[in-house]
Amino acid sequence: MTPKKTSLPPNLTVWQKSLRWAPTTAQQQQFQTLYEGILVGNQQFNLTRITEPEAFWEKHLWDSLSGIEPWLTDEPPDWLPQYSPSQSPRIIDIGTGGGFPGMPVAIALPNSHVTFLDSTRKKIQFLETLAQQLSFPKTAFVADRAETVGHHRNHRGRYDIALVRAVGPASTCAEYALPLLDAGGMAVLFRGQWSDEDSQTLEKALPPLGASLTEVQAFVTPLTQGVRHCVYLQKTGMTEIAYPRAVGIPAKQPL
């Protein structure tokens, strides 16, 4: 049975106030197409439990774009390497699952090239079909593990931005992301609660990965006032060849 069509709230003022950015009319339509596509795919692939329009807007669209807020404006913060939305950053979404944050990011940054990485082949195949419906011209889809892809010559050191919106220790997420970044690239770790102690623990894991903790940004979700953090790591050196470690080890034995 095809799910009942529902409309996402535009929330243009909320976008602008919270992220200093608002979607165009065309981007709003793409968000709606994405939403409808996820509702259809959800019947087969169990992509998300968040299906109500306002919750989907906040927890999938807004939350996804909060991590790239520094890249959404022509006036980036001082800590961010020089970047303009007119450029074409190479982005990888690690453990994309139902396509988040990569799908909203591809809509918001139409000049970017986004690679979607997930170990579940059926989800990757679904996202590839959905990307065709959304007319994404610059996307790639990889069904594999981050530990394996991190050693592949077509991916290691090839990206400007790595996004990890997954549950797990921050050091594990860093080990997945940093080997994939080019020099100066940024990893964005999407987190809930975060503390100074968390930062200190993560910083101890970064030297062999060739990175430094650049910034931690706190957000309050605009509809439900939940606390969110985005942790930004910059690739400042070479990642030791041993990383990422073999499949399963980063999760079982965090740095």
Side-chain angles (χ1 to χ4, degrees):
M1 182 177 65
T2 302
K4 181 181 178 181
K5 181 177 178 179
T6 53
S7 296
L8 292 170
N11 288 342
L12 294 178
T13 301
V14 182
W15 278 122
Q16 188 64 54
K17 184 177 180 180
S18 59
L19 298 183
R20 299 183 299 157
W21 173 89
T24 64
T25 300
Q27 287 169 325
Q28 286 180 275
Q29 183 54 56
Q30 283 184 300
F31 284 149
Q32 181 66 31
T33 301
L34 171 62
Y35 177 47
E36 294 171 9
I38 292 294
L39 291 181
V40 172
N42 217 29
Q43 299 177 95
Q44 185 174 359
F45 300 110
N46 192 27
L47 301 170
T48 179
R49 290 174 293 180
I50 301 167
T51 57
E52 291 300 315
E54 287 199 350
F56 187 94
W57 180 91
E58 181 180 61
K59 292 181 170 60
H60 283 321
L61 301 185
W62 184 92
D63 189 78
S64 292
L65 298 191
S66 68
I68 64 158
E69 186 264 348
W71 288 276
L72 289 174
T73 173
D74 284 318
E75 299 179 359
D78 293 339
W79 55 264
L80 186 71
Q82 288 299 311
Y83 167 80
S84 167
S86 63
Q87 296 175 354
S88 302
R90 301 161 296 172
I91 301 173
I92 184 165
D93 178 7
I94 301 168
T96 184
F100 306 103
M103 287 283 175
V105 168
I107 291 171
L109 298 177
N111 293 314
S112 62
H113 186 289
V114 182
T115 296
F116 296 83
L117 172 64
D118 198 272
S119 61
T120 304
R121 183 170 297 277
K122 288 184 178 180
K123 287 184 179 179
I124 285 294
Q125 291 172 337
F126 165 75
L127 292 177
E128 190 166 10
T129 300
L130 184 55
Q132 292 172 357
Q133 297 173 14
L134 289 162
S135 301
F136 286 160
K138 302 175 182 178
T139 50
F141 300 85
V142 180
D144 209 336
R145 294 289 298 257
E147 299 96 327
T148 302
V149 170
H151 289 282
H152 197 289
R153 64 182 182 180
N154 289 340
H155 296 282
R156 189 178 182 92
R158 299 289 185 176
Y159 296 94
D160 303 304
I161 303 171
L163 307 172
V164 191
R165 188 179 178 244
V167 176
S171 59
T172 299
C173 296
E175 186 172 349
Y176 292 154
L178 290 165
L180 297 168
L181 290 175
D182 197 357
M186 300 290 293
V188 184
L189 312 185
F190 292 72
R191 314 298 295 179
Q193 299 290 336
W194 191 260
S195 67
D196 290 341
E197 183 179 350
D198 292 324
S199 292
Q200 294 167 8
T201 299
L202 177 57
E203 285 180 315
K204 293 176 183 177
L206 296 179
L209 301 176
S212 62
L213 196 164
T214 301
E215 183 75 6
V216 177
Q217 286 197 331
F219 295 91
V220 175
T221 59
L223 302 185
T224 58
Q225 283 70 60
V227 176
R228 298 284 292 159
H229 291 81
C230 287
V231 179
Y232 299 88
L233 311 176
Q234 185 171 16
K235 186 75 171 286
T236 54
M238 295 291 291
T239 299
E240 294 181 11
I241 193 63
Y243 299 97
R245 291 167 292 167
V247 170
I249 293 179
K252 293 178 182 177
Q253 301 175 20
L255 292 174

